[in-house]
Amino acid sequence: MEAFPQTIHFIGSNTPRRMEITLRDLEVEGEIPDDIDGAFFRAVPDNAHPPMFEDDIALNADGMISRFHFQDGAVDFDIRYVETDRYKAEKEARRALFGRYRNPFTDDPSVKGVDRTVANTTPVWHANRLFMTKEDGLGHEINPHTLETIGKWTFGGKLKSATFTAHPRIDAETGEMFFFGYEAGGLCDPNVAYCIADKDGKLVSEQWFEQPYLSTIHDFVITEKYAVFPIFPTIADLERIESGGEHWAHVQDLESWVGVMPRYGKVEEIRWIKGPVGVSVFHEVNAFDDGDLLHIDLCLTSTNAFPFMREAGGIDIPQPEVEGALTRWTIDLSQENPEISERPLGPTGDLPRLADKDQGRPYSHAWYLSMNPEGGPPMPGGPVGANFNCLLRIEPGNGHLEMLGLPPGAGISEPAHVPSRSRGHDGWLLSVVDLPKDPDPARQIPGDYTSQLWIIDAGDVAAGPVAKVKTGMALRSQVHGTWVSREKLNRSALK
Ligand code: V55
Ligand code: FE
């Protein structure tokens, strides 16, 4: 293809921007709190070239690493492509050579066997190093100061898994990183690698197990005692992939599962607990132990939230009719055959954010994105085709909910959390907000907006931003982001 398709994956906030930029001293409205000293790294899928196929999807786009760097109240901004093998091959050819999302059988023959991952999902900071990740390949190390790509991260050649999740979980107290890779042995391999890296980044454990069916395990959770693998019925099929079809199809009449094992235990100890039929989750907020009870808080939907994963499974449910709720699953592990009991915690939504210190522990509050009941239509774009347009702060223990709603046509991306040095203060949220140039929804032009980084008091989201950092341009939709403090940046392994 010579031009970008005019589908939802390439318009609105999915408009390819393709800019590697360096800007110093962005314009700031308001005052940047002293607590905010460090870097907000963001993963942004953004095609370097028009795709090979008209029906390509946003999840298939090249990874870009974007950084808002805060120092002494000033903000600098940078974007660079992650120089994966795939990016480099296409750069050389000046065109797309890799075909459909997670389907190597649709590639140009010249790139047969070349690593297809685009590292476009989550920036991860662990043991003084920064990685860009996508669940179908290895993490790529990035120099946090220059944003240069160093290369694939194999834990010194020790990691056997071919894949590394975009959602590792880091225990803030021990500094350990718990992670997994599914399709660990390669395309459509049913094995999952469950791994632990110690606080120094050394791989200390890698164990493989087979999942109940070949599902997309996008996220998992840990508690102080357990590693927990929720499994939902969105399934890969090698025959379908070999014939050029979709990697994933949702199966509405299949049950979900939760695999639970002691986090330092053996994979042979995994207990599989059956869950409801047809549901889907991409992100868990958190999980924690309460005696024998295991609580798992999930962004649950009644079917897969991605339209193309529903379509591939023959499911005809329009996006606005996908139901869901922030949901708590509780499992009594003292029982021989426990069942999952379920209770709603809050409105449907996704892209949850938890304070790093609360990972795997009882927690009082978290934040996530949802739809503003008074906000009119959201900005088109993002991985599912419509952006979120409100930010919620929730206290799952008592149901207390606070909202920051955006105006019609706007969109908000996943917040990063910056802890405060002031005792009793919730800290700050950093979130990119896309604002249409015309406030009148009838006159808004998709893709015609400006992107600002809003700084929000994490304990008082309803008050609105305390500062707005203006990029002066429209940025492509982010997936996940990560805050890295000055102290951590100063300890970076790379200078
Ligand atoms: C997700 C995102 C991906 C992907 C699979 O948020 C799942 C879910 C940005 O890439 O490849
Ligand atoms: Fe994710």
Side-chain angles (χ1 to χ4, degrees), residues 371-374 390-393 401-406 461-463:
M371 287 301 179
N372 181 358
E374 291 124 40
C390 80
L391 170 67
L392 298 175
R393 179 186 183 278
L401 198 67
E402 265 186 61
M403 178 179 93
L404 169 59
L406 294 184
V461 300

Side-chain angles (χ1 to χ4, degrees), residues 45 58-60 101-102 120-121 134-135 167 182 216 218 248 282-283 306 309 351 383 479-480:
L59 302 185
N60 200 25
Y101 176 64
R102 301 192 60 177
N120 69 0
T121 312
K134 185 175 186 77
E135 63 198 52
H167 291 286
Y182 72 90
T216 163
H218 185 66
W248 300 119
F282 280 89
H283 302 112
F306 287 93
M309 296 185 195
L351 301 175
V479 186
H480 299 294

Side-chain angles (χ1 to χ4, degrees), residues 191-247:
N191 285 293
V192 179
Y194 168 54
C195 307
I196 306 173
D198 70 11
K199 66 175 185 359
D200 302 316
K202 190 168 155 241
L203 185 68
V204 292
S205 164
E206 175 172 7
Q207 306 181 67
W208 288 31
F209 66 89
E210 243 185 69
Q211 54 164 324
Y213 44 65
L214 225 175
S215 77
T216 163
I217 313 180
H218 185 66
D219 192 2
F220 88 134
V221 261
I222 54 156
T223 70
E224 290 169 276
K225 291 194 282 197
Y226 298 105
V228 183
F229 297 88
I231 309 269
F232 302 94
T234 299
I235 294 186
D237 177 76
L238 190 55
E239 259 176 54
R240 182 175 65 230
I241 297 169
E242 278 172 345
S243 64
E246 294 288 342
H247 193 109

